[in-house]
């Protein structure tokens, strides 16, 4: 299965706060113990500009690049290459759209480009199919202030 993975969830935040939580506060909610290169003690930072790198830094200071921002519209949209634990040449692409709703913000995540992985594309895309559920569940759980709309 190499079709793009699509996930949607709604959080009780306005789009600007939902975007900030997803990006600036990623280190507070990302499940590093299970979904990182170096483990729970790593620090993850998300850039605030196009071409900036999403970086995991281990406890000993080793930096691992997870991807690079290719589009950045605060409060609305972002797109980034994605290759944690793989080379940049094996990067897939993730987009996230933040849309205001009556309940808060609908976050639509699409992860595609798995064909670049060749023989491992099916296995990797299948792992992300379930992996994004866990990651986005952590994101939703990090919403601490209800109704900040």
């Amino acid at each position: 299965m190499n079709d793009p993975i699509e996930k949607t969830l709604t959080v009780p935040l306005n789009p600007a706060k939902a975007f900030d939580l997803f990006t600036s506060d990623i280190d507070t909610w990302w499940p590093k113990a299970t979904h990182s290169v170096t483990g729970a003690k790593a620090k993850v930072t998300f850039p605030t500009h196009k071409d900036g790198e999403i970086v995991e830094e281990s406890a000993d200071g080793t930096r691992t690049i997870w991807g690079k921002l290719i589009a950045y519209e605060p409060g609305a949209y972002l797109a980034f290459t994605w290759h944690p634990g793989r080379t940049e040449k094996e990067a897939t692409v993730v987009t996230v759209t933040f849309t205001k709703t009556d309940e808060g913000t609908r976050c639509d995540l699409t992860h595609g480009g798995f064909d670049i992985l060749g023989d491992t594309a099916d296995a990797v895309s299948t792992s992300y199919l379930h992996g994004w559920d866990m990651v986005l569940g952590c994101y939703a759980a990090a919403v601490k202030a209800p109704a900040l709309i």
Side-chain angles (χ1 to χ4, degrees), residues 25-73:
D25 295 333
I26 191 169
D27 190 60
T28 65
W29 61 267
W30 189 271
K32 295 174 285 191
T34 57
H35 290 70
S36 69
V37 176
T38 60
K41 292 185 179 180
K43 179 170 179 54
V44 180
T45 55
F46 209 98
T48 58
H49 56 86
K50 185 179 171 189
D51 295 327
E53 295 174 323
I54 304 164
V55 177
E56 174 185 336
E57 185 172 332
S58 71
D60 70 3
T62 302
R63 290 173 37 103
T64 303
I65 307 301
W66 286 6
K68 183 183 284 187
L69 271 177
I70 52 179
Y72 186 78
E73 298 174 36

Side-chain angles (χ1 to χ4, degrees), residues 20 98 120-121 137 140 147-148:
D20 285 347
F98 299 84
T120 63
L148 295 176

Side-chain angles (χ1 to χ4, degrees), residues 4-137:
I5 295 167
E6 297 178 346
K7 302 290 182 180
T8 297
L9 78 153
T10 298
V11 293
L13 299 172
N14 67 41
K17 298 242 183 229
F19 188 92
D20 285 347
L21 178 62
F22 193 94
T23 58
S24 300
D25 295 333
I26 191 169
D27 190 60
T28 65
W29 61 267
W30 189 271
K32 295 174 285 191
T34 57
H35 290 70
S36 69
V37 176
T38 60
K41 292 185 179 180
K43 179 170 179 54
V44 180
T45 55
F46 209 98
T48 58
H49 56 86
K50 185 179 171 189
D51 295 327
E53 295 174 323
I54 304 164
V55 177
E56 174 185 336
E57 185 172 332
S58 71
D60 70 3
T62 302
R63 290 173 37 103
T64 303
I65 307 301
W66 286 6
K68 183 183 284 187
L69 271 177
I70 52 179
Y72 186 78
E73 298 174 36
Y77 178 78
L78 57 93
F80 49 91
T81 64
W82 190 245
H83 57 90
R86 295 188 313 273
T87 69
E88 188 174 353
K89 291 180 180 177
E90 300 170 295
T92 54
V93 176
V94 176
T95 64
V96 187
T97 302
F98 299 84
T99 306
K100 182 174 176 40
T101 68
D102 290 342
E103 296 80 33
T105 299
R106 188 182 72 237
C107 305
D108 295 300
L109 180 144
T110 301
H111 186 175
F114 293 103
D115 288 341
I116 200 163
L117 300 173
D119 293 344
T120 63
D122 279 349
V124 173
S125 66
T126 298
S127 73
Y128 276 110
L129 184 64
H130 303 293
W132 280 118
D133 289 335
M134 196 265 200
V135 167
L136 293 176

